[in-house]
Every structure is written in structure tokens, then in C-alpha cells.
Amino acid sequence: MTAPVRAFVGVGANLGDAPATVRAALQALRRLPGTQCVAVSSLYRSAPVEASGPDFINAVVELRTQLPPLELLRALQSVEQAFGRLRSARNAPRTLDLDLLLYGEQVMHSDTLTLPHPRLHLRAFVLRPLAELDPALPLPGLGAIGPWLQRASDQAIERLTGAPTIPPP
């Protein structure tokens, strides 16, 4: 394992009891090896982007992890599968969606993983919770989060009350 790295993961769901699924997924992330949950954003409701279906419930979690990026991605995909995630079509409704948004300051482009997440700077449902956790967060290769958040200000997103807390060990 390596020295801990600050990573951010987007959590979303729009099938079943999405708020309960997001909260349960946060507990599952807490159990990842070599990983500590540092902070969790509020829950947000947003319409699906480039798709149909129920509204999504979204959040972002800040991790400190010793897992390398590809190993963390595999761990996230295992959690998705445990929650019944099917990858039937791009932008299809989901029981759970976990996206590795940022991994330290790493910029990476491979067939398996792109960092930062290739659309994070275009989506209010990612930018708002990220900015809630760190309003001065730099997006590697993209610059400060503030201008990107301003560009996405026309996207409908609703902050829900009762932000999740980091579950106890």
C-alpha cells in the first residue's frame, strides 16, 4: 500500500429507495481496506442527464486511501455490484453509481480510468457537493472549481435536508 491520498467519489442512485441506498453505500465505502471516510456532502436531488428515469439522489464522499487508483476503482465497482448495479446501457437508471472523481492531483487517461472524471466539471450534481466539501478545491488540469460551478448554475439541483454523517466504525 502507498501513502494515503485524498480522493473524492461521487455516489448516486435513482432506482428503489435511492436515499437509503446512498446512505448504505457510504457505510460500504467506510469498510474499504486502507481507506478512511473523511467527509460526506449533503444529499442532492437532480434530474438524469442525457437520459430518462426517476431523479437521482447524489452525494460526494472524501476519502483518504492507500489503495492505488485502479485498485480503488475495482473496489468501487465491487460495491456497485453488491448493490445490484447492472451496466445495461450508458446513462441507464441505476441502483448505485460510484464514480472516482479525483485521486489526489493525478491526471490519468486509460481505457479503464480517466482522472479527473471526464465530465465532473460539466455536472452540477458533482460540482455542488464537491464545492460543499472544499470550496477552494483545484480540479487537476481544469483549474479552480468555482468557475466550473458557475458555468453549471443553470442545471437544476436541490439540496436535501438531513445530510448523511460519516457512519461510526
Side-chain angles (χ1 to χ4, degrees):
M1 295 226 179
T2 60
V5 173
R6 185 182 193 203
F8 291 88
V9 174
V11 183
N14 75 334
L15 293 177
D17 185 348
T21 298
V22 168
R23 288 183 178 97
L26 294 172
Q27 292 181 15
L29 293 177
R30 195 168 190 315
R31 293 188 295 271
L32 294 179
T35 301
Q36 176 186 11
C37 288
V38 176
V40 179
S41 74
S42 300
L43 296 181
Y44 290 84
R45 179 186 319 277
S46 64
V49 175
E50 299 173 0
S52 59
D55 286 351
F56 271 88
I57 301 299
N58 297 289
V60 169
V61 62
E62 179 182 348
L63 305 174
R64 293 274 190 273
T65 186
Q66 293 178 301
L67 297 175
L70 290 174
E71 195 172 327
L72 178 56
L73 176 65
R74 282 190 293 274
L76 296 176
Q77 290 171 340
S78 291
V79 172
E80 287 178 335
Q81 288 176 346
F83 280 80
R85 167 78 188 262
L86 300 174
R87 295 182 182 272
S88 57
R90 180 179 161 93
N91 297 331
R94 297 175 177 125
T95 53
L96 180 63
D97 187 26
L98 299 174
D99 288 327
L100 181 52
L101 303 172
L102 298 167
Y103 185 90
E105 297 179 10
Q106 189 157 349
V107 175
M108 177 179 183
H109 301 281
S110 75
D111 292 340
T112 309
L113 179 61
T114 299
L115 291 168
H117 187 281
R119 292 171 300 283
L120 84 87
H121 63 292
L122 303 174
R123 309 286 198 237
F125 66 83
V126 172
L127 292 167
R128 286 269 307 270
L130 265 176
E132 178 185 325
L133 295 177
D134 186 347
L137 183 67
L139 305 176
L142 297 167
I145 194 170
W148 292 109
L149 185 56
Q150 183 60 37
R151 287 184 188 109
S153 64
D154 62 334
Q155 296 174 27
I157 181 170
E158 174 191 3
R159 183 177 181 262
L160 304 177
T161 58
T165 57
I166 298 172

